[in-house]
Amino acid sequence: MTTIRERIAARQLTPGARLPSVRQAARSMGVSVSTVVEAYERLAAEGVIKSRPGSGFYVSAPLAPLALGKIGPRLDREVDPLWMSRQSLEAGEEMLRPGCGWLPAEWMPEAALRRALKAVARGSAASLTDYSEPLGLAPLRGFIARRLGERDIPAAPDQILLTGSGTQAIDLVCRFLIEPGDTVLIDDPCYFNFRALLQAHRADIVGVPMTPNGPDLEIFAQSLAQKRPRLYLTNAAVHNPTGAAISSTTAHRLMALAEPAGLIIVEDDIFADFETAPTPRLAAFDGLRNVIQIGSFSKTLSAAARCGYIAARPDWIEQIADIGLATQFGSPRLSAEIALTLLKDGGYRRHLEALRARLAGARTATIRRLEALGITPFVEPKAGMFVWARLPDEADASQIARLCLAEGIVLAPGNAFSLGQTARDYLRFNVSQSDDPRIYDSLSRALQASAPPMRAAG
Amino acid sequence: MTTIRERIAARQLTPGARLPSVRQAARSMGVSVSTVVEAYERLAAEGVIKSRPGSGFYVSAPLAPLALGKIGPRLDREVDPLWMSRQSLEAGEEMLRPGCGWLPAEWMPEAALRRALKAVARGSAASLTDYSEPLGLAPLRGFIARRLGERDIPAAPDQILLTGSGTQAIDLVCRFLIEPGDTVLIDDPCYFNFRALLQAHRADIVGVPMTPNGPDLEIFAQSLAQKRPRLYLTNAAVHNPTGAAISSTTAHRLMALAEPAGLIIVEDDIFADFETAPTPRLAAFDGLRNVIQIGSFSKTLSAAARCGYIAARPDWIEQIADIGLATQFGSPRLSAEIALTLLKDGGYRRHLEALRARLAGARTATIRRLEALGITPFVEPKAGMFVWARLPDEADASQIARLCLAEGIVLAPGNAFSLGQTARDYLRFNVSQSDDPRIYDSLSRALQASAPPMRAAG
């Protein structure tokens, strides 16, 4: 009992962690099995640990399903998804952030936002003070439905549920669909926060390797047959981190595999508005039957006045709305009013046109500068802010990230995005945050410093 | 198998519902137990139903933990928490809403909000476009910490986590603390959405009867000993729905029971700003060790620009913030900027002073008009917008609510707030929404109509 207590106090056993089996514990401590059984039972009676029938004993109180984020000192945590989020959010003004996942403030539609806020400030009292209706502001849902229609996704306004953000939208869908222990497929690599989010739902996560045209269909089919996943969470169109877009062939074959298996697909399309030319959407192939689509204005309009949405079958939307009422009491109305104002006056569309051109220029420039250092893109993305690029000479991206962080530059090392830890020599670059020459100077120095002596000498 | 399939298709068995036991099913269908076992196992293999070890078979796909909200036609659902929420949120402009849980738009600080929006519209670009830091806007956390200090609750700014609302704050705390099957104590009656929220976390909910001075301590002590609850979720100061305030004696004794049991208390203090004179806070007695306090500006400032917070031990706040990053990617910044602007310019404090006086007047008037109909308050509340009142002659509040709804008046029948369904003859009145004489005319007619023939004649 004392040993277990000490290990919990020292955080060698963190809350939620599984204890060694009775047999293992008896062997490692050199005591009898019955001694361990008695110790475990006493600790369980005290509430220090908990038994889960058929599964063993776990450290209780307080539960920390995300305890992953707590392990190890900061500088050794570059590939922890939560550490990645905090690094970007907490970086000071003076830091450069080629690794972060959003546009700089000066790339956002500042003037249009100021106008929209002033317009809302002059609007109805209800829009300033009242709750939203359960599905969220009706005229904004109408706008979103029409925009989805333009992408061949047939959605009526009552198939749209507004949420506080794209992340919250995925979270609500997971609450509706996932039970602890359910298997969920994700792309490898994928947006790092998907893993943290799915961990919070205690899903079993299975990765499917990403190709330049979408997920690897052979492994996708194998995973379907062997793991019987509940759902597949993926990005539409502009994939994070690779910048790849699914091809029509891959999308069609993927849906042909998913349909008979009854697989539900959550297609996160929050980068849709970065697209210059239309690419396939699983939600369009499926007609919103077993595909749920997620959208957001956080990346292209404002991360301060956030607003996301879920598009799905009306009967699912109704039930997800109930979960939203129970756990959030609806969605933030003011952000929805601001988004609606911008969508109505055309300011948002003009901003997007300028933004896409600016991103295309920054993408070309970033790729040229990376290639000069021997860092090569996985694909040349057609849209969006990300370039997923491979370091030369199998350099360790975590080590490079650590060296550059010491020089005030926040990078995004590949394995933070990879469930299988197969992206050791990749970095994700945000081209809108990669203009400063100090980034490439620092990268160059870090590559030199991290090269093994033999090769450095060669 | 066909029978079960048909019952699921007809929604007699809704997703998440438990199937009859093997024995029951065999008996009711007139087949052998082994036939049922085989049918269940085949359905489970197909994924139509799921087995939970030790607990039986459940309808799967898609999971609806809140399926409660789906049962029965609308008019029979007056005491369903989710139906209550939807009624108030969906009621048209022409409806009267003495049963709803918020102030009318014209009672909110409209002019100050318009000023605050315009000020933010002129503010920094970052405040319009950027994400918040992980704990939320630092100056607002500083303000909240000082306000908690005034209530004898010692909180540093890093003990405050901003959230999208009070409900979301409780939800995050539950995610941190509750595992499915954990026992949670609530007051009976309590805010109806607590039940829906805890159901979404699959907690076992146990009610403790409310007295005019706080929870019934004898039953509280019994529940602690017998049910070993993980936490107790309650309102501080202004209790919803009763309007009661915990006395110092009850608060002290309650903490003396909770401490040795290691019980964690979540004290929802979202009505704090309605208070005219200070009353005891469990968080103040405990010093934010095992008590977590929840606050919000939705009720007194704006439900459109919502902003809530969690005050707790710094190590817990750090871990809850990680869950907030994983599931929400932080809190809405614009709402926090607006709240901060109002708090800084003194507009909020002036609004509160006027509001408290206005509520006191409305409370007196509402109680007088209710008493004229023989409807008597449980306590005369010292603060807040609610009066919890008992109908004469054991009238059925659900029936009264149905009759009044047909006349365009949304009431809040007692059993919607009561886990034990012990509040059949109670209604909750929101005094700020109870000024219209049509409410009392309709109530009077409904009481007449619902009275049993003998009493109506007598």
Side-chain angles (χ1 to χ4, degrees), chain A residues 45 50 52 62-63 86 114 121 123 128-129 168 171 175-176 182 228 302-304 306 319 322 328-329 334, chain B residues 45 50 63-64 86 114 121 123 128-129 168 171 175-176 179 182 228 302-304 306 322 328-329 334:
Chain A
K50 278 201 175 197
R52 289 191 202 146
L63 173 77
R86 283 180 174 264
R114 293 189 195 278
L128 292 166
T129 61
Q168 194 192 83
D171 184 51
R175 286 187 126 151
F176 174 57
D182 277 352
R228 306 179 63 96
S302 167
R306 289 164 81 188
Q319 293 177 69
D322 273 350
Q328 320 282 338
F329 210 73
L334 191 74
Chain B
K50 279 202 173 196
L63 173 75
R86 283 180 175 263
R114 293 188 195 280
L128 292 167
T129 62
Q168 195 192 83
D171 184 51
R175 286 188 126 150
F176 174 57
E179 282 201 82
D182 277 353
R228 307 180 62 99
S302 167
R306 290 164 81 189
D322 274 350
Q328 320 282 338
F329 210 73
L334 190 73

Side-chain angles (χ1 to χ4, degrees), chain B residues 319-350:
Chain B
Q319 293 178 68
I320 298 170
D322 274 350
I323 302 176
L325 279 180
T327 61
Q328 320 282 338
F329 210 73
S331 61
R333 173 158 181 174
L334 190 73
S335 298
E337 299 275 2
I338 291 169
L340 178 64
T341 305
L342 268 153
L343 286 168
K344 273 200 304 206
D345 85 350
Y348 184 59
R349 235 173 241 275
R350 282 193 301 276

